[in-house]
Amino acid sequence: MIKGRFDENSSFSFPDTCARDGGVERRDVRLMETVTAALIACLLVWLAVVFTRWRTRTRDERGRAPSRWTSESEHRSAPEKASEAMPCADAREIEKSTHERLPRASAPARMLDKKRDVMAKASGHGPPPPPVSRWNQRPLHMTIPSYAGCKITRGALTYNSEIPFEFETSVFAGRCLIRFRDCPPPPAGAAPDAARRLEEYFRGRARTFQCVVQGKFKRRIRADEAVTGHEFFQPLLGIPGKRFVKTLVHILRAMNPSLRMSLFARKPQVWTFLGASAQVISIDTPGDEPDITRGSFEENNSKFGGAFASGRLTSAQRRRLLADVKKAKQYSFSTDDVYTFDFYQHVFDPKTFTLNILGLDAFRVDVARHVGDQPPQIMARTSRPGEYLFCFCMWHERALARETNDERPSRAHTSPSPPASPRNPRGASSKLRF
C-alpha cells in the first residue's frame, strides 16, 4: 500500500519512492480523473438519449391505442363533449354491424374490427367506413359523421364525378362539388366527360384539391362565428416539439390572425374564419348564382356591405379584412342571398395523403402517420356546439388499420402472422398494430 504525506505547498503528495517504484505521478492522477469524468458524462448523455427515445415511443404507442373511459360519468358525457356526436340509434347500429361481421371474418380481423368500432364510438366520427376492398373509389372514401347532422338530399357523396350532390343541415342547405387531382372518377354516377373536365381543370395548375360549396344560410350568422378547419377527438401522433409548432403558428397567424391551432390537446383542432379561408366568395341573388361545375369563379363580395359595397375589394383584400376578429364582427352571412365558396389549394395532396409545405419532397409531411385512424374533414361550422354548415370526412386507405383482401396491402394493415408454435398453433398474430 502506498502512503502519501501532506506538505506546505500542496494538500497531499506521494512520496518520492512512488516514481522510482513505478507509481503514479500527480499529473497522471489528474489525467485519469479527467478521463473518468468524461466517461461518466458520455454515459449520462447516452442514458438521457435512451430515456428520451423510450418515452417518445411509449407516448406514441399510448396514442395509437384505443382510448378507455376512466369512469362511467365520463363515458356518458363523452358524446356531449364531442359536439353531441353519437345518438343512441347510431351506437346500436354500430354494435349490430359489429356482431354481424363476426361470423364472416377471421379471429384477428374480428378483434381489429371490434377495436375500430370502439374507437369510432369513443372518438365521435361515427361508424367506421366499409373495408377498403368495398370502396367504389380508391385511395379515398367519403363519409358523413353522425354528429354533424348533415344529410344528402340528392345525388351521392363522391368526388371527381363532375355532378354536384345536394345536402342540408340545420343552418345551411346547398350543393357541393369535390375534385381531387390524379384520382379517378367513380365507376358509376359520373358525368360522361368527367375525366376530360378534370384534366382540363388541373392542367397547368399546381392545385391538388378543390371543393366548391354553394347554398343559402337558414339563419343570419356573423362572419366571426362561421369557421372552417379540422377537428379530431383523439391526440395526434408524432407531432414536433412545442417550440417549433409555436414558431410555425406565429408565422401563420401573421398572415391570418383568425387562425387557431391546438395540436397538443386531447382533442386537437385547427380553425380559421370561413370568410378568410375561401379563395373565392360569390354572393348573388337567387337565380343569378354561377354554375359550380365551371372551373373558375369571379369574386363578388359587394353584398357584404360596408367596405365591400364598392365591389372593388379583391379576394386577397377580403381575406385580410375578414381575418381581423374586430372587423369580422361587423359583417354577416344573410339568409336572402346565395353564397358560393371556392376552396382550392396545393399544399394538401389527397391522393398521397401528404402535406407539401415548402414545395420540396424533403419537407413532405405524411398525414396518415399523424392522424392515425382519424379522418380529416371538409367542413364548416358555427361557434355553437354541434351546429355545422357541412361536414364530409376523408378516409384514406393508408391511414386505416382495417385488413383488406386486396392483393396489394398497405403498410398500415396488420402485421403478417408469425410461424406456428406450441403456444400459437395456428400462427395467428399475437399483436395487432394500428
Side-chain angles (χ1 to χ4, degrees):
M1 181 176 180
I2 299 175
K3 297 182 179 180
R5 68 174 185 273
F6 289 91
D7 54 18
E8 297 178 354
N9 299 327
S10 61
S11 59
F12 181 84
S13 64
F14 287 92
D16 297 338
T17 55
C18 291
R20 280 195 311 270
D21 298 339
V24 182
E25 297 181 354
R26 273 188 296 176
R27 61 176 179 272
D28 298 331
V29 173
R30 292 175 181 173
L31 178 61
M32 291 178 63
E33 292 176 352
T34 304
V35 172
T36 304
L39 291 176
I40 293 175
C42 293
L43 179 61
L44 292 177
V45 172
W46 178 78
L47 290 175
V49 172
V50 171
F51 176 75
T52 302
R53 291 182 178 179
W54 171 82
R55 185 175 61 178
T56 303
R57 183 169 62 251
T58 304
R59 183 176 57 195
D60 291 346
E61 291 176 355
R62 199 182 300 130
R64 293 189 187 98
S67 61
R68 295 180 175 86
W69 303 109
T70 57
S71 62
E72 293 182 1
S73 60
E74 186 178 1
H75 184 278
R76 289 193 297 269
S77 62
E80 299 177 357
K81 293 180 181 180
S83 302
E84 303 177 357
M86 293 296 299
C88 297
D90 293 334
R92 288 195 296 268
E93 291 179 0
I94 293 177
E95 295 177 356
K96 182 178 178 181
S97 61
T98 302
H99 292 297
E100 288 178 352
R101 282 198 300 269
L102 294 181
R104 297 195 295 268
S106 61
R110 290 200 304 269
M111 293 173 60
L112 186 59
D113 287 342
K114 192 172 182 179
K115 286 185 177 181
R116 284 185 48 75
D117 290 340
V118 171
M119 289 181 65
K121 286 192 281 187
S123 65
H125 285 295
V132 177
S133 57
R134 300 181 186 176
W135 291 4
N136 293 330
Q137 292 174 276
R138 296 179 64 176
L140 287 156
H141 181 75
M142 307 287 296
T143 62
I144 296 179
S146 56
Y147 62 82
C150 183
K151 297 181 180 179
I152 301 297
T153 58
R154 185 177 181 181
L157 175 59
T158 183
Y159 56 90
N160 288 358
S161 65
E162 292 299 314
I163 298 178
F165 61 88
E166 299 181 3
F167 65 92
E168 184 175 4
T169 64
S170 60
V171 292
F172 192 84
R175 52 183 188 159
C176 177
L177 181 69
I178 302 174
R179 292 185 176 104
F180 293 154
R181 192 187 191 106
D182 296 332
C183 292
D193 57 345
R196 179 187 60 81
R197 290 160 65 178
L198 288 170
E199 195 274 334
E200 289 180 353
Y201 174 77
F202 290 108
R203 183 192 307 161
R205 293 171 173 170
R207 303 175 188 176
T208 57
F209 165 89
Q210 185 197 29
C211 176
V212 184
V213 177
Q214 184 182 82
K216 297 182 66 176
F217 290 83
K218 294 184 178 181
R219 70 174 182 88
R220 196 175 190 88
I221 299 176
R222 279 191 342 211
D224 65 319
E225 295 178 346
V227 297
T228 180
H230 302 279
E231 56 184 0
F232 302 96
F233 300 99
Q234 298 293 330
L236 300 178
L237 308 177
I239 301 300
K242 290 187 177 181
R243 291 184 179 179
F244 173 79
V245 173
K246 287 182 178 180
T247 303
L248 180 62
V249 170
H250 285 313
I251 296 175
L252 295 177
R253 290 195 65 181
M255 297 182 292
N256 187 348
S258 67
L259 178 65
R260 297 293 183 271
M261 296 179 66
S262 57
L263 299 182
F264 296 95
R266 291 181 56 190
K267 297 178 181 180
Q269 297 178 347
V270 179
W271 299 116
T272 183
F273 290 163
L274 177 63
S277 177
Q279 277 72 17
V280 178
I281 294 181
S282 180
I283 310 174
D284 306 277
T285 57
D288 296 335
E289 64 272 12
D291 182 8
I292 65 174
T293 59
R294 288 165 33 191
S296 301
F297 306 93
E298 295 182 359
E299 180 81 9
N300 182 15
N301 51 40
S302 59
K303 291 199 172 185
F304 268 129
F308 299 93
S310 62
R312 297 177 181 179
L313 292 186
T314 63
S315 173
Q317 293 172 333
R318 182 256 307 163
R319 293 198 300 268
R320 191 180 307 112
L321 190 149
L322 294 183
D324 190 313
V325 179
K326 295 182 180 180
K327 295 180 180 179
K329 293 181 180 180
Q330 305 173 9
Y331 302 94
S332 60
F333 299 98
S334 69
T335 59
D336 300 328
D337 301 314
V338 177
Y339 290 82
T340 303
F341 302 95
D342 187 10
F343 305 90
Y344 58 82
Q345 57 165 301
H346 63 280
V347 177
F348 174 65
D349 189 350
K351 182 180 180 180
T352 60
F353 219 53
T354 57
L355 293 174
N356 195 0
I357 299 177
L358 299 179
L360 301 174
D361 292 338
F363 295 93
R364 191 177 293 271
V365 179
D366 187 3
V367 177
R369 176 176 175 268
H370 299 291
V371 301
D373 288 335
Q374 303 181 91
Q377 308 96 31
I378 301 174
M379 58 95 76
R381 59 171 297 173
T382 68
S383 56
R384 297 183 181 181
E387 194 173 70
Y388 291 82
L389 278 67
F390 52 88
C391 186
F392 314 117
C393 293
M394 296 182 293
W395 302 84
H396 197 280
E397 60 182 15
R398 288 200 308 106
L400 292 177
R402 181 185 296 272
E403 187 176 0
T404 75
N405 296 324
D406 196 352
E407 297 179 357
R408 299 167 297 172
S410 64
R411 290 179 293 179
H413 302 327
T414 56
S415 56
S417 301
S421 63
R423 295 186 180 181
N424 191 11
R426 297 185 180 182
S429 176
S430 59
K431 183 179 180 181
L432 297 176
R433 296 189 300 176
F434 288 90

